[in-house]
Amino acid sequence: MTRQDFGNDRTVMFSEGAELTLDRVFDAPRERVWEAITSPLYIPQWWGPANTTARVDLMDVRPGGKWRWIAVMHPSDPGTPFMGTYREVEKPALLVRTLEFDTEEMKGVPPFVETTTLDEVDGKTQVFNITRFPAEEILQGALESGVTKAALDSYDRLADLLARMA
């Protein structure tokens, strides 16, 4: 279980074993951050790598509710679909959901489990996210495919969106 660090001066990001951890403090109140990460109106404005868009096909934020988003890299790209189920929803502090690639080549891969906590820190919000992959090899494949850049870009885009929501 070797730790690999991928963060930058804004976001702590590392992998260890089959887990990928992100930790960042956003300059926004917790309710605003919660709204940005749980509203289908805002997901397309921050989720995914820079210069991409996201489409929300389904987003039922409640325990047992389903979600499906599509990451689109360029206009002629049909996109990469992601989906899952919300396991726990405790507004505005905790979101636990499964995450799967809704693609033929990823069929049969068990879902990842993503746990996001939001804590108030002096009027700001610390977002702590752990994604548990089904196996260390699957996490390594995700790291090689660019998940670190996508995650760091998403958090930068989220910070920009939160500033515009103020």
Side-chain angles (χ1 to χ4, degrees):
M1 265 214 278
T2 303
R3 178 178 162 137
Q4 299 177 72
D5 288 293
F6 305 101
N8 56 30
D9 61 336
R10 298 169 305 282
T11 306
V12 173
M13 181 180 197
F14 63 91
S15 69
E16 193 163 19
E19 294 184 348
L20 182 64
T21 300
L22 285 93
D23 186 3
R24 180 161 173 169
V25 175
F26 291 93
D27 189 11
R30 185 164 69 162
E31 289 286 340
R32 186 181 313 150
V33 177
W34 179 265
E35 183 180 2
I37 69 171
T38 61
S39 169
L41 175 69
Y42 293 117
I43 297 300
Q45 298 181 48
W46 70 267
W47 188 75
N51 302 316
T52 64
T53 59
R55 186 176 73 238
V56 176
D57 283 351
L58 176 66
M59 192 170 178
D60 182 9
V61 185
R62 62 177 176 82
K66 307 281 186 199
W67 67 274
R68 187 171 192 272
W69 306 340
I70 298 176
V72 180
M73 303 302 272
H74 52 79
S76 63
D77 175 23
T80 303
F82 298 83
M83 66 179 201
T85 302
Y86 292 97
R87 291 185 172 178
E88 295 178 55
V89 178
E90 295 176 19
K91 182 181 179 180
L94 176 69
L95 196 60
V96 180
R97 67 181 184 175
T98 62
L99 186 151
E100 301 174 60
F101 290 90
D102 190 13
T103 61
E104 201 54 46
E105 59 271 10
M106 295 298 283
K107 293 263 189 252
V109 174
F112 315 156
V113 177
E114 185 177 75
T115 301
T116 305
T117 58
L118 289 77
D119 294 310
E120 287 192 66
V121 181
D122 299 326
K124 298 179 181 184
T125 304
Q126 180 177 21
V127 175
F128 188 76
N129 180 286
I130 296 177
T131 303
R132 290 176 184 85
F133 287 73
E136 195 169 338
E137 304 78 46
I138 294 172
L139 170 56
Q140 287 304 315
L143 294 172
E144 291 166 9
S145 75
V147 74
T148 55
K149 179 184 180 337
L152 293 171
D153 284 358
S154 288
Y155 272 24
D156 286 345
R157 294 176 67 194
L158 178 56
D160 291 343
L161 170 64
L162 292 167
R164 291 192 313 271
M165 290 172 67

